[in-house]
Amino acid sequence: MYYYRTMRGIHCTRDVSEGLDGSPASIAGRLTDLLPGSRIYCLNQVHGDGIVFAEDISPGAVPEADGIISCNPEDVLCIRTADCVPVLLRSEDMPVIAAVHAGWRGLAMGIVKKAVERMQALGATVIHVSIGPSIGACCYEVGSDVLDALGRETLQYRNHACYIDLQGVALSQVCGAGVDRRRVHVVRLCTSCNPGEFFSYRRDGAAAGRNISVIGGKSWLLPGLQAG
Ligand SMILES: [Zn+2]
């Protein structure tokens, strides 16, 4: 009954989505095969700050949003990324789980902070967060548009170019919303630097596959990196 207190999500290695086009439908289909009996939620991610509740989604619908929260830990929440930051969240004191897709645009709109605040509004006080593999500051060279949007807190300046640490921005938002740093796990792996494990839009271009991060149900059965 209280298994959600220790439940972990998974940041899947590319094995799970290899050969798929990365669309919500194809990923949902693969997850349905791998996790039979669970209700799978995928989003039509639009680089916004919209967060939906699983309970409000009609069966089969794919809402336009970049975050999803459920009060039923049997639900499987899925985020697709190819350099953006996947963030998985769970509460230890309430059956509340969440998954967020956070690229620079979503981060600039505070989507990770908003997800934590939504969970807190549901009564969650002890929240665990896993910030998954994304493009790292090693590879994420940005221009003034991204710098203007995100600020310079995680800026690294090398060889006359600017690099941003997106995971660091997500971490800052999580802690700024009141989550204890000791409950935040950051998977410090760069999607672009690790072609064997992860897809990368910067590296592979528009045809890149999608990495998937999942939480809820029996998602811990999938191959990949266990969320903290
Ligand atoms: Zn890198």
Side-chain angles (χ1 to χ4, degrees), residues 1-56:
M1 181 177 193
Y2 292 108
Y3 80 98
Y4 63 83
R5 291 176 185 236
T6 56
M7 185 175 61
R8 299 288 190 272
I10 291 284
H11 300 290
C12 295
T13 46
R14 56 187 287 167
D15 309 345
V16 175
S17 45
E18 192 73 62
L20 301 179
D21 62 14
S23 67
S26 65
I27 299 286
R30 176 66 56 85
L31 289 175
T32 300
D33 291 342
L34 294 172
L35 301 169
S38 293
R39 186 160 173 200
I40 313 286
Y41 292 87
C42 282
L43 302 173
N44 179 15
Q45 299 164 189
V46 291
H47 294 277
D49 65 346
I51 299 171
V52 291
F53 284 99
E55 289 76 6
D56 296 336

Short mmCIF file of all heavy atoms in Angstrom, two decimals, residues 1-56:
data_model
loop_
_atom_site.label_atom_id
_atom_site.label_comp_id
_atom_site.label_asym_id
_atom_site.label_seq_id
_atom_site.Cartn_x
_atom_site.Cartn_y
_atom_site.Cartn_z
N MET A 1 0.83 -1.21 0.00
CA MET A 1 0.00 0.00 0.00
C MET A 1 0.86 1.26 0.00
O MET A 1 0.52 2.26 -0.61
CB MET A 1 -0.89 -0.03 1.24
CG MET A 1 -1.81 1.16 1.35
SD MET A 1 -2.85 0.97 2.79
CE MET A 1 -4.06 2.23 2.50
N TYR A 2 1.99 1.20 0.69
CA TYR A 2 2.83 2.39 0.79
C TYR A 2 4.07 2.29 -0.10
O TYR A 2 5.05 2.96 0.14
CB TYR A 2 3.24 2.63 2.23
CG TYR A 2 2.09 3.02 3.10
CD1 TYR A 2 1.58 2.12 4.03
CD2 TYR A 2 1.49 4.26 2.96
CE1 TYR A 2 0.50 2.48 4.82
CE2 TYR A 2 0.41 4.61 3.73
CZ TYR A 2 -0.09 3.72 4.67
OH TYR A 2 -1.15 4.07 5.44
N TYR A 3 3.99 1.45 -1.13
CA TYR A 3 5.20 1.24 -1.93
C TYR A 3 5.65 2.50 -2.66
O TYR A 3 6.79 2.64 -3.01
CB TYR A 3 5.02 0.10 -2.92
CG TYR A 3 4.27 0.46 -4.16
CD1 TYR A 3 4.97 0.77 -5.32
CD2 TYR A 3 2.89 0.51 -4.19
CE1 TYR A 3 4.29 1.13 -6.47
CE2 TYR A 3 2.22 0.85 -5.32
CZ TYR A 3 2.91 1.16 -6.46
OH TYR A 3 2.24 1.51 -7.59
N TYR A 4 4.71 3.44 -2.83
CA TYR A 4 5.11 4.66 -3.54
C TYR A 4 6.18 5.43 -2.78
O TYR A 4 6.89 6.25 -3.32
CB TYR A 4 3.90 5.57 -3.79
CG TYR A 4 3.21 6.08 -2.55
CD1 TYR A 4 3.68 7.20 -1.88
CD2 TYR A 4 2.09 5.44 -2.06
CE1 TYR A 4 3.05 7.67 -0.75
CE2 TYR A 4 1.44 5.90 -0.93
CZ TYR A 4 1.93 7.01 -0.27
OH TYR A 4 1.31 7.48 0.84
N ARG A 5 6.32 5.14 -1.49
CA ARG A 5 7.33 5.85 -0.71
C ARG A 5 8.74 5.56 -1.19
O ARG A 5 9.65 6.35 -1.01
CB ARG A 5 7.22 5.47 0.76
CG ARG A 5 5.96 6.00 1.39
CD ARG A 5 5.82 5.55 2.82
NE ARG A 5 4.54 5.99 3.34
CZ ARG A 5 4.38 6.72 4.41
NH1 ARG A 5 5.40 7.10 5.11
NH2 ARG A 5 3.18 7.09 4.81
N THR A 6 8.93 4.38 -1.75
CA THR A 6 10.27 4.02 -2.21
C THR A 6 10.34 3.83 -3.71
O THR A 6 11.35 3.41 -4.25
CB THR A 6 10.73 2.71 -1.52
OG1 THR A 6 9.76 1.70 -1.79
CG2 THR A 6 10.88 2.90 -0.03
N MET A 7 9.23 4.09 -4.41
CA MET A 7 9.18 3.83 -5.84
C MET A 7 10.20 4.69 -6.60
O MET A 7 10.42 5.84 -6.27
CB MET A 7 7.79 4.17 -6.34
CG MET A 7 7.57 3.84 -7.78
SD MET A 7 5.87 4.13 -8.20
CE MET A 7 5.76 5.86 -7.87
N ARG A 8 10.80 4.10 -7.59
CA ARG A 8 11.77 4.82 -8.40
C ARG A 8 11.29 4.91 -9.85
O ARG A 8 10.64 4.00 -10.34
CB ARG A 8 13.11 4.09 -8.41
CG ARG A 8 13.75 3.94 -7.05
CD ARG A 8 14.28 5.30 -6.55
NE ARG A 8 15.10 5.13 -5.36
CZ ARG A 8 14.62 5.12 -4.12
NH1 ARG A 8 13.33 5.25 -3.91
NH2 ARG A 8 15.43 4.98 -3.09
N GLY A 9 11.65 5.97 -10.52
CA GLY A 9 11.44 6.04 -11.96
C GLY A 9 12.68 5.53 -12.67
O GLY A 9 13.67 5.14 -12.04
N ILE A 10 12.61 5.53 -13.98
CA ILE A 10 13.73 5.06 -14.79
C ILE A 10 14.00 6.05 -15.92
O ILE A 10 13.06 6.50 -16.60
CB ILE A 10 13.42 3.67 -15.40
CG1 ILE A 10 13.37 2.58 -14.33
CG2 ILE A 10 14.42 3.31 -16.49
CD1 ILE A 10 14.71 2.13 -13.81
N HIS A 11 15.26 6.40 -16.09
CA HIS A 11 15.68 7.11 -17.30
C HIS A 11 16.21 6.03 -18.25
O HIS A 11 17.30 5.50 -18.06
CB HIS A 11 16.77 8.13 -16.97
CG HIS A 11 16.33 9.17 -15.98
ND1 HIS A 11 15.42 10.16 -16.30
CD2 HIS A 11 16.66 9.38 -14.68
CE1 HIS A 11 15.22 10.92 -15.23
NE2 HIS A 11 15.95 10.47 -14.24
N CYS A 12 15.41 5.71 -19.25
CA CYS A 12 15.72 4.55 -20.08
C CYS A 12 16.92 4.82 -21.00
O CYS A 12 17.09 5.93 -21.50
CB CYS A 12 14.53 4.19 -20.96
SG CYS A 12 13.10 3.66 -20.01
N THR A 13 17.70 3.80 -21.21
CA THR A 13 18.71 3.87 -22.25
C THR A 13 18.02 3.69 -23.60
O THR A 13 16.85 3.31 -23.67
CB THR A 13 19.77 2.78 -22.05
OG1 THR A 13 19.10 1.55 -21.79
CG2 THR A 13 20.68 3.11 -20.89
N ARG A 14 18.72 3.95 -24.67
CA ARG A 14 18.07 4.00 -25.98
C ARG A 14 17.53 2.65 -26.45
O ARG A 14 16.73 2.59 -27.39
CB ARG A 14 18.97 4.63 -27.05
CG ARG A 14 20.32 3.96 -27.21
CD ARG A 14 21.20 4.75 -28.16
NE ARG A 14 20.78 4.65 -29.55
CZ ARG A 14 21.21 5.42 -30.53
NH1 ARG A 14 22.07 6.39 -30.26
NH2 ARG A 14 20.82 5.25 -31.77
N ASP A 15 17.93 1.58 -25.78
CA ASP A 15 17.39 0.26 -26.12
C ASP A 15 15.86 0.27 -26.20
O ASP A 15 15.25 -0.36 -27.06
CB ASP A 15 17.77 -0.79 -25.06
CG ASP A 15 19.24 -0.79 -24.74
OD1 ASP A 15 20.00 -0.20 -25.54
OD2 ASP A 15 19.63 -1.37 -23.72
N VAL A 16 15.25 1.00 -25.25
CA VAL A 16 13.79 0.93 -25.14
C VAL A 16 13.09 1.59 -26.32
O VAL A 16 12.03 1.15 -26.75
CB VAL A 16 13.34 1.58 -23.81
CG1 VAL A 16 11.83 1.65 -23.71
CG2 VAL A 16 13.92 0.80 -22.63
N SER A 17 13.69 2.64 -26.89
CA SER A 17 13.03 3.36 -27.97
C SER A 17 13.78 3.27 -29.30
O SER A 17 13.46 3.97 -30.25
CB SER A 17 12.83 4.84 -27.58
OG SER A 17 14.01 5.36 -27.00
N GLU A 18 14.75 2.37 -29.37
CA GLU A 18 15.52 2.20 -30.61
C GLU A 18 14.59 1.83 -31.76
O GLU A 18 13.69 1.00 -31.62
CB GLU A 18 16.56 1.09 -30.41
CG GLU A 18 17.62 0.99 -31.49
CD GLU A 18 18.63 2.14 -31.41
OE1 GLU A 18 19.31 2.24 -30.39
OE2 GLU A 18 18.69 2.92 -32.37
N GLY A 19 14.79 2.49 -32.91
CA GLY A 19 14.00 2.15 -34.09
C GLY A 19 12.65 2.82 -34.16
O GLY A 19 11.94 2.68 -35.16
N LEU A 20 12.28 3.55 -33.12
CA LEU A 20 10.99 4.24 -33.14
C LEU A 20 11.17 5.67 -33.63
O LEU A 20 12.26 6.24 -33.54
CB LEU A 20 10.37 4.26 -31.74
CG LEU A 20 10.11 2.89 -31.11
CD1 LEU A 20 9.51 3.06 -29.72
CD2 LEU A 20 9.19 2.05 -31.99
N ASP A 21 10.07 6.27 -34.13
CA ASP A 21 10.18 7.64 -34.66
C ASP A 21 10.12 8.70 -33.56
O ASP A 21 10.30 9.88 -33.84
CB ASP A 21 9.09 7.89 -35.70
CG ASP A 21 7.68 7.78 -35.13
OD1 ASP A 21 7.54 7.77 -33.89
OD2 ASP A 21 6.74 7.71 -35.92
N GLY A 22 9.88 8.29 -32.33
CA GLY A 22 9.90 9.25 -31.23
C GLY A 22 8.58 9.94 -30.98
O GLY A 22 8.47 10.75 -30.07
N SER A 23 7.57 9.64 -31.80
CA SER A 23 6.27 10.28 -31.59
C SER A 23 5.61 9.73 -30.33
O SER A 23 5.94 8.63 -29.88
CB SER A 23 5.36 10.02 -32.79
OG SER A 23 5.04 8.63 -32.84
N PRO A 24 4.67 10.50 -29.74
CA PRO A 24 3.97 9.98 -28.56
C PRO A 24 3.32 8.63 -28.82
O PRO A 24 3.36 7.73 -27.97
CB PRO A 24 2.92 11.06 -28.27
CG PRO A 24 3.45 12.30 -28.90
CD PRO A 24 4.24 11.85 -30.10
N ALA A 25 2.73 8.46 -30.02
CA ALA A 25 2.02 7.22 -30.31
C ALA A 25 2.97 6.02 -30.36
O ALA A 25 2.67 4.95 -29.82
CB ALA A 25 1.27 7.35 -31.64
N SER A 26 4.13 6.21 -31.00
CA SER A 26 5.05 5.08 -31.11
C SER A 26 5.65 4.72 -29.76
O SER A 26 5.78 3.54 -29.42
CB SER A 26 6.15 5.37 -32.15
OG SER A 26 6.98 6.43 -31.72
N ILE A 27 5.98 5.73 -28.96
CA ILE A 27 6.55 5.46 -27.64
C ILE A 27 5.49 4.81 -26.73
O ILE A 27 5.78 3.85 -26.00
CB ILE A 27 7.07 6.76 -27.00
CG1 ILE A 27 8.18 7.38 -27.87
CG2 ILE A 27 7.56 6.51 -25.58
CD1 ILE A 27 9.51 6.71 -27.84
N ALA A 28 4.29 5.33 -26.79
CA ALA A 28 3.22 4.75 -25.96
C ALA A 28 2.98 3.30 -26.34
O ALA A 28 2.75 2.45 -25.48
CB ALA A 28 1.93 5.57 -26.09
N GLY A 29 3.05 3.02 -27.65
CA GLY A 29 2.86 1.64 -28.11
C GLY A 29 3.94 0.72 -27.57
O GLY A 29 3.66 -0.39 -27.10
N ARG A 30 5.19 1.18 -27.61
CA ARG A 30 6.29 0.36 -27.11
C ARG A 30 6.14 0.13 -25.59
O ARG A 30 6.33 -1.00 -25.10
CB ARG A 30 7.62 1.06 -27.42
CG ARG A 30 8.87 0.38 -26.90
CD ARG A 30 9.18 -0.97 -27.53
NE ARG A 30 9.29 -0.98 -28.96
CZ ARG A 30 10.40 -0.67 -29.67
NH1 ARG A 30 11.50 -0.35 -29.04
NH2 ARG A 30 10.39 -0.74 -30.99
N LEU A 31 5.76 1.17 -24.87
CA LEU A 31 5.61 1.03 -23.42
C LEU A 31 4.44 0.11 -23.06
O LEU A 31 4.49 -0.64 -22.07
CB LEU A 31 5.43 2.40 -22.75
CG LEU A 31 6.69 3.27 -22.72
CD1 LEU A 31 6.37 4.65 -22.15
CD2 LEU A 31 7.80 2.61 -21.90
N THR A 32 3.39 0.16 -23.88
CA THR A 32 2.25 -0.73 -23.65
C THR A 32 2.68 -2.18 -23.80
O THR A 32 2.24 -3.06 -23.03
CB THR A 32 1.11 -0.39 -24.63
OG1 THR A 32 0.73 0.97 -24.42
CG2 THR A 32 -0.09 -1.29 -24.40
N ASP A 33 3.56 -2.45 -24.75
CA ASP A 33 4.07 -3.82 -24.93
C ASP A 33 4.95 -4.23 -23.75
O ASP A 33 4.90 -5.38 -23.30
CB ASP A 33 4.93 -3.91 -26.21
CG ASP A 33 4.08 -3.78 -27.46
OD1 ASP A 33 2.84 -3.95 -27.36
OD2 ASP A 33 4.65 -3.48 -28.53
N LEU A 34 5.75 -3.30 -23.25
CA LEU A 34 6.72 -3.63 -22.20
C LEU A 34 6.08 -3.64 -20.81
O LEU A 34 6.58 -4.31 -19.90
CB LEU A 34 7.88 -2.61 -22.22
CG LEU A 34 8.76 -2.64 -23.47
CD1 LEU A 34 9.74 -1.47 -23.45
CD2 LEU A 34 9.54 -3.96 -23.54
N LEU A 35 5.02 -2.87 -20.64
CA LEU A 35 4.38 -2.75 -19.32
C LEU A 35 2.89 -3.06 -19.45
O LEU A 35 2.03 -2.19 -19.25
CB LEU A 35 4.58 -1.34 -18.75
CG LEU A 35 6.03 -0.88 -18.57
CD1 LEU A 35 6.08 0.61 -18.25
CD2 LEU A 35 6.71 -1.68 -17.46
N PRO A 36 2.55 -4.31 -19.81
CA PRO A 36 1.14 -4.64 -20.06
C PRO A 36 0.30 -4.42 -18.80
O PRO A 36 0.75 -4.66 -17.68
CB PRO A 36 1.19 -6.12 -20.45
CG PRO A 36 2.49 -6.64 -19.92
CD PRO A 36 3.44 -5.48 -19.93
N GLY A 37 -0.90 -3.92 -19.02
CA GLY A 37 -1.82 -3.74 -17.90
C GLY A 37 -1.78 -2.37 -17.27
O GLY A 37 -2.64 -2.02 -16.48
N SER A 38 -0.76 -1.57 -17.62
CA SER A 38 -0.67 -0.23 -17.03
C SER A 38 -1.25 0.80 -17.98
O SER A 38 -1.19 0.64 -19.20
CB SER A 38 0.80 0.14 -16.78
OG SER A 38 1.35 -0.67 -15.78
N ARG A 39 -1.80 1.85 -17.42
CA ARG A 39 -2.21 2.96 -18.27
C ARG A 39 -1.00 3.86 -18.50
O ARG A 39 -0.37 4.32 -17.57
CB ARG A 39 -3.36 3.74 -17.61
CG ARG A 39 -3.87 4.79 -18.56
CD ARG A 39 -5.25 5.28 -18.26
NE ARG A 39 -5.54 6.39 -19.16
CZ ARG A 39 -6.47 7.29 -18.95
NH1 ARG A 39 -7.23 7.22 -17.89
NH2 ARG A 39 -6.66 8.27 -19.82
N ILE A 40 -0.70 4.09 -19.78
CA ILE A 40 0.49 4.84 -20.18
C ILE A 40 0.08 6.25 -20.57
O ILE A 40 -0.85 6.44 -21.37
CB ILE A 40 1.17 4.18 -21.41
CG1 ILE A 40 1.33 2.66 -21.23
CG2 ILE A 40 2.49 4.87 -21.74
CD1 ILE A 40 2.38 2.22 -20.28
N TYR A 41 0.77 7.26 -20.05
CA TYR A 41 0.50 8.64 -20.41
C TYR A 41 1.71 9.24 -21.11
O TYR A 41 2.79 9.35 -20.54
CB TYR A 41 0.21 9.47 -19.16
CG TYR A 41 -1.09 9.11 -18.48
CD1 TYR A 41 -1.14 8.09 -17.54
CD2 TYR A 41 -2.27 9.79 -18.78
CE1 TYR A 41 -2.33 7.76 -16.91
CE2 TYR A 41 -3.46 9.47 -18.17
CZ TYR A 41 -3.49 8.45 -17.23
OH TYR A 41 -4.66 8.12 -16.62
N CYS A 42 1.51 9.63 -22.38
CA CYS A 42 2.51 10.39 -23.11
C CYS A 42 1.92 11.76 -23.44
O CYS A 42 0.70 11.91 -23.52
CB CYS A 42 2.91 9.69 -24.41
SG CYS A 42 4.05 8.30 -24.18
N LEU A 43 2.78 12.72 -23.64
CA LEU A 43 2.32 14.09 -23.90
C LEU A 43 2.74 14.54 -25.29
O LEU A 43 3.76 14.08 -25.83
CB LEU A 43 2.94 15.05 -22.87
CG LEU A 43 2.66 14.75 -21.40
CD1 LEU A 43 3.48 15.68 -20.51
CD2 LEU A 43 1.17 14.89 -21.11
N ASN A 44 1.97 15.46 -25.85
CA ASN A 44 2.39 16.17 -27.04
C ASN A 44 3.17 17.39 -26.55
O ASN A 44 2.59 18.43 -26.25
CB ASN A 44 1.17 16.58 -27.87
CG ASN A 44 1.56 17.35 -29.11
OD1 ASN A 44 2.73 17.35 -29.52
ND2 ASN A 44 0.60 18.02 -29.71
N GLN A 45 4.48 17.23 -26.42
CA GLN A 45 5.32 18.23 -25.76
C GLN A 45 5.57 19.41 -26.69
O GLN A 45 5.95 19.23 -27.86
CB GLN A 45 6.63 17.57 -25.33
CG GLN A 45 6.41 16.43 -24.35
CD GLN A 45 7.59 15.50 -24.16
OE1 GLN A 45 7.47 14.47 -23.53
NE2 GLN A 45 8.72 15.85 -24.72
N VAL A 46 5.37 20.62 -26.16
CA VAL A 46 5.40 21.81 -27.02
C VAL A 46 6.35 22.89 -26.50
O VAL A 46 6.26 24.04 -26.89
CB VAL A 46 3.97 22.39 -27.17
CG1 VAL A 46 3.11 21.45 -27.99
CG2 VAL A 46 3.32 22.65 -25.81
N HIS A 47 7.27 22.53 -25.59
CA HIS A 47 8.22 23.49 -25.03
C HIS A 47 7.51 24.65 -24.34
O HIS A 47 7.95 25.79 -24.42
CB HIS A 47 9.19 24.03 -26.10
CG HIS A 47 10.10 22.97 -26.64
ND1 HIS A 47 11.26 22.59 -26.01
CD2 HIS A 47 10.01 22.19 -27.75
CE1 HIS A 47 11.85 21.65 -26.71
NE2 HIS A 47 11.12 21.37 -27.78
N GLY A 48 6.40 24.32 -23.68
CA GLY A 48 5.68 25.34 -22.91
C GLY A 48 5.84 25.07 -21.43
O GLY A 48 6.80 24.43 -21.00
N ASP A 49 4.88 25.59 -20.65
CA ASP A 49 4.93 25.36 -19.21
C ASP A 49 3.63 24.72 -18.70
O ASP A 49 3.34 24.77 -17.51
CB ASP A 49 5.24 26.65 -18.44
CG ASP A 49 4.14 27.69 -18.58
OD1 ASP A 49 3.28 27.53 -19.47
OD2 ASP A 49 4.14 28.66 -17.79
N GLY A 50 2.88 24.11 -19.63
CA GLY A 50 1.62 23.48 -19.25
C GLY A 50 1.85 22.17 -18.51
O GLY A 50 2.68 21.36 -18.91
N ILE A 51 1.12 22.00 -17.41
CA ILE A 51 1.20 20.77 -16.61
C ILE A 51 -0.22 20.25 -16.45
O ILE A 51 -1.11 20.99 -16.02
CB ILE A 51 1.83 21.04 -15.22
CG1 ILE A 51 3.26 21.58 -15.39
CG2 ILE A 51 1.83 19.77 -14.37
CD1 ILE A 51 3.88 22.09 -14.09
N VAL A 52 -0.44 18.98 -16.80
CA VAL A 52 -1.78 18.42 -16.75
C VAL A 52 -1.85 17.35 -15.66
O VAL A 52 -0.84 16.79 -15.24
CB VAL A 52 -2.19 17.80 -18.11
CG1 VAL A 52 -2.38 18.89 -19.15
CG2 VAL A 52 -1.17 16.78 -18.59
N PHE A 53 -3.08 17.08 -15.23
CA PHE A 53 -3.31 16.00 -14.28
C PHE A 53 -3.80 14.77 -15.04
O PHE A 53 -4.72 14.87 -15.86
CB PHE A 53 -4.34 16.42 -13.23
CG PHE A 53 -3.79 17.36 -12.20
CD1 PHE A 53 -4.01 18.72 -12.31
CD2 PHE A 53 -3.04 16.88 -11.13
CE1 PHE A 53 -3.48 19.60 -11.37
CE2 PHE A 53 -2.51 17.75 -10.19
CZ PHE A 53 -2.73 19.11 -10.31
N ALA A 54 -3.18 13.65 -14.74
CA ALA A 54 -3.55 12.41 -15.43
C ALA A 54 -5.04 12.12 -15.28
O ALA A 54 -5.69 11.65 -16.22
CB ALA A 54 -2.71 11.25 -14.89
N GLU A 55 -5.58 12.43 -14.11
CA GLU A 55 -6.99 12.15 -13.84
C GLU A 55 -7.93 12.89 -14.79
O GLU A 55 -9.09 12.49 -14.96
CB GLU A 55 -7.31 12.53 -12.39
CG GLU A 55 -6.69 11.61 -11.33
CD GLU A 55 -5.19 11.83 -11.10
OE1 GLU A 55 -4.60 12.78 -11.68
OE2 GLU A 55 -4.58 11.03 -10.36
N ASP A 56 -7.44 13.97 -15.39
CA ASP A 56 -8.28 14.78 -16.27
C ASP A 56 -8.19 14.35 -17.74
O ASP A 56 -8.86 14.95 -18.59
CB ASP A 56 -7.85 16.26 -16.19
CG ASP A 56 -8.08 16.84 -14.80
OD1 ASP A 56 -8.95 16.32 -14.08
OD2 ASP A 56 -7.38 17.80 -14.44
#
